Amino acid sequence: MDNLDYGIIGNCKSAALISKTGSLEWCCLPNFNSAAVFAKLLDEKRGGSFEFILDDSYKITQEYLWETNILNTLFDDGENSFQVIDFMPRYEREDSTYYAPPDVIRFIRLISGKPKFKVKYDPRLDFAREKTYSEHKGNYIKSFTNEGKYDSLFLYSSLDLNDVLEQNEIELTGNAYFLLGYHEKLITQSLDRSYLKFQRTKTYWMNWSAKTTRYTHYEKEIMRSALVLKCLSYKKSGAVLAAATTSLPETIGEERNWDYRFCWIRDASMVIKVMAGLGHIKSAKDFLQFIIDIIPDKDEKIQIMYGINGEKELTEHILDHLSGYKGSHPVRTGNAAYIQKQNDIYGILMEVIYQQFNQFETSLENSEELWTVVRGIVKIVEENWQKPDKGIWELRTEDRHFVFSKLLCWVAIDRAIKIGEVLRMGINDTHWKSLRAEIYNDIYKNGWNEEVQAYTQYYGSKDLDASTLLMEQYGFIEAKDPRFVSTVQATERELCKDGLMYRYKNKDDFGEPTSSFTICTFWLIDSLFKIGEKKKAKQMFDQLLSYSNHLGLFSEDIDFETKRLLGNFPQAYSHLALIETAANFSLGTTSEETWLSEF
């Protein structure tokens, strides 16, 4: 495929990607951050897949079942047709706990005729490091490794397992199922049991969607994005992953390939704000609790990212035996960025704590704990805000005085003051307010470039950076302020190409960027809307939405020329920004006529 034409299915424990032809080509079990058991996505020959092989007479179409994370792929040659309904079970038990095993169920529904197909079942455990053996064990197929790290996988089906193993042609005469499980099942599996799990899982997702805030416009896009975010949520800890994949390149053939199966603190405030705005207070609070739980003791360094269970060490490894997506290597697990120093993280964290006090009830004990954290962060910011760092884009070159990092240091002190006001702890007001003013004045003086007429990427630079578009969102500057309007206009002129945005255009560790960073285009649209260019913003938004894949999903990047999706997928940050931007077009609107008259 020339695009990331995949659908994601998941159960808040792990996820899988199914291609538009119904091929399962990425799945990590038992958890999001486990080794892949199918990874054709990263190596077409060695990665392994679970496919249905049919002749060319079949037309294949794909869609999600209404307001669920259940994927339906239809195979139809005009006379013979069937559906493959893919999902990972998730539903509530009678005791209010959730059933969410590390399983993938592929329910096959006969529609008409007697379709014929072959099944290619080819798991490659542990990222295909060693050979995977598959054997018929009576009522299931067991796949396992003998060399290296031992791992195993179990396949149950109502179809003949020998025909599956030997890739014999199968004639479908009725409904059937496959259940792919990381653990051996203790209860006999059957078609009825899989169908019941399907119905319960469908009910779960529809109930979840029914609790989601409705908007007057772009409701379908908002709902799909909300379902993606839920799918990327790790229920056990409350963490939200940046994406479900590793090593999908920002540009084909280049080395910008990273593992995104982790939780970035930077995403936290946006996740909490968006999910709470969608009415999913429980999800927002779960993620907030995850952040609170990983906040270190007074003298311990705060990391920019953590594992989904709060792991601090995310050592980066390269899998040399995999060729990479479309030959783009290296393939990495782990992410070395976790050791980077990024001063913006303190502002992000303080924004999260402020939202805790602002949106949710907080116990006295919890308030005292968080107030200690607030005071500790203020101390760290006071000691570090004047130092250079790696910046929001995690550049691996020299440290610089990035404007965005300074902005978030200002945010840290501003939110600390506001938290103090909520708690009526005015004792630190005078000193903290002086510090806030000092940082503000420093950004105002050194972040602004008079020649360029914009806030730039770092102090003394003429290079522009899309992150400065967030200055208004964080409350540093008003939307109508001439400096912000000029920054938006200059940034658009310099970084926007055919309706898509660069993060920046100056060279970094790997040369000049050659693809568009999806969230930056949403930031520009949001900024244009706020400075009054609403018609232009809507046109750009509609154009950007047209670049999603066939299911409305976005990755991290988009190629400027071909508009193909690039980077890890699906990307939480992109879908968060989509929701925030789409919500703008619904504000203050009561009817179609009123809304259209504004543009």
Side-chain angles (χ1 to χ4, degrees):
M1 295 190 299
D2 292 329
N3 198 20
L4 290 171
D5 287 326
Y6 292 92
I8 184 173
I9 60 172
N11 62 357
C12 303
K13 185 170 186 175
S14 186
L17 297 184
I18 313 292
S19 79
K20 65 180 179 181
T21 59
S23 174
L24 197 168
E25 299 185 356
W26 176 256
C27 184
C28 298
L29 293 176
N31 299 314
F32 287 110
N33 59 351
S34 302
V37 297
F38 294 101
K40 184 178 180 180
L41 181 68
L42 296 180
D43 191 314
E44 293 194 10
K45 293 182 179 179
R46 296 183 182 178
S49 62
F50 186 176
E51 308 179 30
F52 294 89
I53 301 172
L54 305 94
D55 63 50
D56 294 338
S57 64
Y58 281 86
K59 179 183 178 182
I60 307 174
T61 55
Q62 191 176 65
E63 64 181 359
Y64 279 106
L65 298 190
W66 185 70
E67 297 192 347
T68 74
N69 277 317
I70 300 173
L71 195 61
N72 176 35
T73 308
L74 174 65
F75 301 83
D76 187 353
D77 71 355
E79 180 180 348
N80 307 286
S81 63
F82 65 100
Q83 296 171 313
V84 176
I85 300 171
D86 286 304
F87 66 98
M88 297 186 73
R90 179 173 176 79
Y91 52 84
E92 193 171 3
R93 299 186 182 101
E94 290 184 3
D95 62 0
S96 296
T97 61
Y98 285 91
Y99 179 75
D103 295 349
V104 174
I105 293 179
R106 315 200 73 180
F107 189 85
I108 305 170
R109 177 179 284 161
L110 176 64
I111 304 298
S112 64
K114 293 183 178 180
K116 295 179 180 180
F117 55 80
K118 296 178 181 179
V119 175
K120 181 180 180 182
Y121 177 66
D122 185 25
R124 303 290 179 91
L125 302 176
D126 193 24
F127 284 110
R129 283 186 176 96
E130 307 292 346
K131 183 177 179 180
T132 296
Y133 301 88
S134 293
E135 296 180 357
H136 187 182
K137 294 289 188 178
N139 62 339
Y140 58 80
I141 294 172
K142 180 180 180 180
S143 300
F144 57 94
T145 54
N146 279 333
E147 299 84 18
K149 177 185 175 184
Y150 176 77
D151 207 354
S152 59
L153 194 66
F154 302 86
L155 181 71
Y156 299 82
S157 181
S158 55
L159 297 175
D160 188 283
L161 294 177
N162 281 324
D163 286 342
V164 173
L165 268 180
E166 297 170 11
Q167 292 189 33
N168 296 327
E169 186 172 73
I170 296 171
E171 181 177 275
L172 189 66
T173 58
N175 295 342
Y177 81 96
F178 287 104
L179 186 152
L180 178 73
Y182 187 73
H183 303 298
E184 182 180 353
K185 294 301 175 185
L186 300 179
I187 298 175
T188 302
Q189 299 302 300
S190 66
L191 180 64
D192 288 346
R193 184 175 291 276
S194 287
Y195 183 72
L196 180 59
K197 290 177 181 178
F198 161 61
Q199 292 293 348
R200 286 177 170 173
T201 300
K202 182 171 72 170
T203 299
Y204 166 81
W205 285 117
M206 291 178 68
N207 284 337
W208 188 89
S209 295
K211 299 172 185 175
T212 304
T213 301
R214 303 289 164 159
Y215 288 84
T216 49
H217 305 288
Y218 300 108
E219 182 178 308
K220 180 181 177 182
E221 290 82 0
I222 291 172
M223 181 63 75
R224 179 49 51 199
S225 293
L227 284 162
V228 168
L229 294 177
K230 181 62 176 175
C231 210
L232 293 174
S233 301
Y234 185 53
K235 180 61 180 176
K236 182 179 178 181
S237 67
V240 176
L241 284 75
T245 57
T246 179
S247 304
L248 295 185
E250 296 178 21
T251 302
I252 301 296
E254 291 192 3
E255 297 180 36
R256 303 171 200 261
N257 315 322
W258 319 112
D259 192 346
Y260 273 20
R261 298 171 300 154
F262 303 110
C263 180
W264 268 256
I265 299 296
R266 184 180 293 114
D267 301 357
S269 62
M270 197 172 180
V271 170
I272 293 165
K273 179 182 176 183
V274 168
M275 294 305 279
L278 290 172
H280 293 291
I281 304 299
K282 181 69 166 59
S283 295
K285 290 185 76 171
D286 286 348
F287 191 26
L288 183 63
Q289 190 60 50
F290 171 78
I291 299 299
I292 292 171
D293 288 344
I294 61 176
I295 292 174
D297 295 331
K298 295 179 182 179
D299 294 329
E300 193 177 345
K301 178 188 173 186
I302 299 170
Q303 296 182 188
I304 67 168
M305 58 191 289
Y306 292 85
I308 58 175
N309 287 302
E311 299 94 337
K312 296 177 181 178
E313 189 172 320
L314 310 175
T315 306
E316 194 170 291
H317 301 282
I318 292 177
L319 305 182
D320 287 321
H321 65 287
L322 296 177
S323 62
Y325 178 79
K326 305 299 180 185
S328 304
H329 53 82
V331 172
R332 309 175 198 261
T333 61
N335 196 312
Y338 80 97
I339 63 174
Q340 288 188 357
K341 177 184 178 183
Q342 295 180 22
N343 291 335
D344 63 323
I345 198 65
Y346 303 112
I348 299 292
L349 192 53
M350 198 73 86
E351 173 78 1
V352 170
I353 296 172
Y354 176 60
Q355 287 190 44
Q356 163 70 25
F357 285 110
N358 210 29
Q359 295 193 47
F360 308 117
E361 292 183 7
T362 306
S363 67
L364 177 61
E365 181 183 357
N366 208 18
S367 296
E368 290 173 348
E369 181 182 351
L370 290 176
W371 180 242
T372 297
V373 173
V374 167
R375 289 168 47 234
I377 291 175
V378 170
K379 186 174 183 292
I380 293 171
V381 171
E382 187 170 13
E383 293 172 351
N384 289 277
W385 76 269
Q386 292 175 304
K387 299 176 183 178
D389 70 343
K390 296 295 184 185
I392 182 177
W393 305 125
E394 300 168 6
L395 301 181
R396 301 188 178 194
T397 51
E398 63 179 299
D399 292 3
R400 289 172 175 161
H401 292 280
F402 289 100
V403 171
F404 185 78
S405 295
K406 307 295 185 187
L407 167 70
L408 269 295
C409 286
W410 175 87
V411 169
I413 307 305
D414 178 72
R415 302 310 190 262
I417 292 168
K418 291 176 178 176
I419 292 168
E421 291 170 351
V422 171
L423 298 176
R424 300 177 183 175
M425 303 293 290
I427 187 170
N428 294 306
D429 270 8
T430 303
H431 178 62
W432 288 3
K433 286 181 178 178
S434 296
L435 178 59
R436 179 176 64 179
E438 183 183 357
I439 300 174
Y440 178 91
N441 292 332
D442 190 71
I443 298 171
Y444 190 86
K445 176 184 177 182
N446 298 308
W448 176 263
N449 186 298
E450 191 66 27
E451 181 182 344
V452 180
Q453 284 292 294
Y455 285 101
T456 56
Q457 186 179 65
Y458 56 92
Y459 286 5
S461 169
K462 292 183 180 179
D463 296 316
L464 294 173
D465 191 303
S467 64
T468 61
L469 297 173
L470 297 177
M471 298 179 85
E472 183 274 340
Q473 188 178 116
Y474 279 113
F476 182 86
I477 193 170
E478 296 290 331
K480 301 300 182 182
D481 189 299
R483 278 197 171 195
F484 184 68
V485 174
S486 181
T487 296
V488 174
Q489 294 171 341
T491 304
E492 181 189 6
R493 285 194 303 271
E494 180 66 22
L495 300 184
C496 190
K497 177 182 176 182
D498 191 25
L500 295 174
M501 285 284 287
Y502 288 94
R503 285 178 286 181
Y504 49 82
K505 288 180 73 174
N506 47 306
K507 289 185 178 181
D508 59 20
D509 344 10
F510 302 100
E512 184 177 312
T514 56
S515 60
S516 169
F517 204 63
T518 307
I519 193 171
C520 295
T521 306
F522 285 118
W523 289 348
L524 176 63
I525 294 167
D526 188 63
S527 298
L528 288 171
F529 185 92
K530 288 177 177 177
I531 67 173
E533 297 190 37
K534 295 183 179 181
K535 185 174 182 179
K536 184 177 186 179
K538 182 184 180 300
Q539 290 172 342
M540 285 187 67
F541 187 59
D542 289 338
Q543 182 183 34
L544 180 56
L545 290 179
S546 73
Y547 300 147
S548 72
N549 76 1
H550 65 299
L551 296 168
L553 306 185
F554 280 96
S555 61
E556 183 181 39
D557 305 271
I558 299 174
D559 184 87
F560 281 109
E561 304 302 328
T562 64
K563 306 301 187 290
R564 72 184 291 175
L565 301 178
L566 296 166
N568 283 306
F569 173 91
Q571 179 83 354
Y573 220 172
S574 298
H575 285 281
L576 283 164
L578 187 158
I579 293 169
E580 279 209 318
T581 306
N584 283 334
F585 297 103
S586 289
L587 293 177
T589 59
T590 55
S591 68
E592 191 76 13
E593 292 75 15
T594 304
W595 183 69
L596 288 173
S597 68
E598 294 182 5
F599 299 97

